[in-house]
Amino acid sequence: MAKNLVGKTIAKTVVAVIIVIAIIYAVLSLVIPQHLATMYSNLGAYSAAARYASLRYTYTGNIEDLDRCATYAVLSGKDKNIIEFCGELLEDDGFEDYCATKEESESYRQHIYGSLASSYYSTGETETAISYAEAAIEDLTYFPEYNAMGTLTVKVADAKDGSTAAVLYAYMQSWTDDKGYDPESAPDAEQTYYSAVMDVLLYWKGGE
């Protein structure tokens, strides 16, 4: 009888402790989500970090917090997270101005576009992926290194996707003509990158 009473007391105590911990955790989640985001990031749990950073963003509405969500989403490697948070960042009215505050503004911009293009392609939404890759460079008159078109080209090559390679190659030819782009007059690194992208697309579309 005494043993049963002790056992029940211990069980109730454990349950009570668990409930208290859960309450404390819930309160912390609401009060200091940014610190929990950092904690989970340090643990390598980037999906959880993105969620807590997102909670912080709902409080502040600051694009810096949305950028943090997108960063964790990319680090998580999960297409669903990337599409959600990078997509929300890209749709923010202040996105282009925010890019301008970055030390490597165009590289950052291309990174967001490229992450979206890559994730949409991985989830089977090829047309959407193509639209992001094209949008990333359509207003440019040069071909920045590691841009979204190049990022998607790598995915297409890995998938041995000749039909999509043909679409991208056709767009690149049109873009080159419309912009009057001359890769030979571009910096060496840019010229090399442009040539690599075109060569890969040409190869996988089955060109000469």
Side-chain angles (χ1 to χ4, degrees), residues 5-58:
L5 182 59
V6 171
K8 289 179 180 179
T9 301
I10 292 173
K12 289 180 180 179
T13 301
V14 171
V15 171
V17 170
I18 292 173
I19 291 173
V20 170
I21 291 173
I23 292 172
I24 292 173
Y25 187 81
V27 171
L28 290 176
S29 298
L30 295 173
V31 176
I32 53 169
Q34 69 274 23
H35 296 304
L36 290 176
T38 299
M39 181 189 75
Y40 278 110
S41 173
N42 290 337
L43 293 173
Y46 296 114
S47 290
R51 293 297 166 189
Y52 283 109
S54 177
L55 184 57
R56 168 71 175 177
Y57 172 65
T58 62

Side-chain angles (χ1 to χ4, degrees), residues 165-180:
V167 172
L168 296 181
Y169 187 79
Y171 176 82
M172 283 301 302
Q173 286 186 308
S174 175
W175 178 87
T176 302
D177 293 339
D178 290 345
K179 303 298 181 182

Side-chain angles (χ1 to χ4, degrees), residues 67-76 82 86-87 89-90 95 99 102 104-119 132 136-137 144-152 193:
D67 177 20
R68 196 179 184 194
C69 297
T71 298
Y72 289 145
V74 172
L75 288 171
S76 78
I82 294 169
C86 287
L89 177 59
L90 189 58
F95 176 70
C99 289
K102 297 288 187 177
E104 299 289 341
S105 59
E106 190 57 47
S107 294
Y108 173 79
R109 180 175 175 274
Q110 292 297 327
H111 170 65
I112 300 300
Y113 271 99
S115 296
L116 278 167
S118 179
S119 288
Y132 276 109
I137 66 168
E145 292 182 80
Y146 310 112
N147 60 58
M149 182 62 68
T151 299
L152 184 55
Y193 191 70

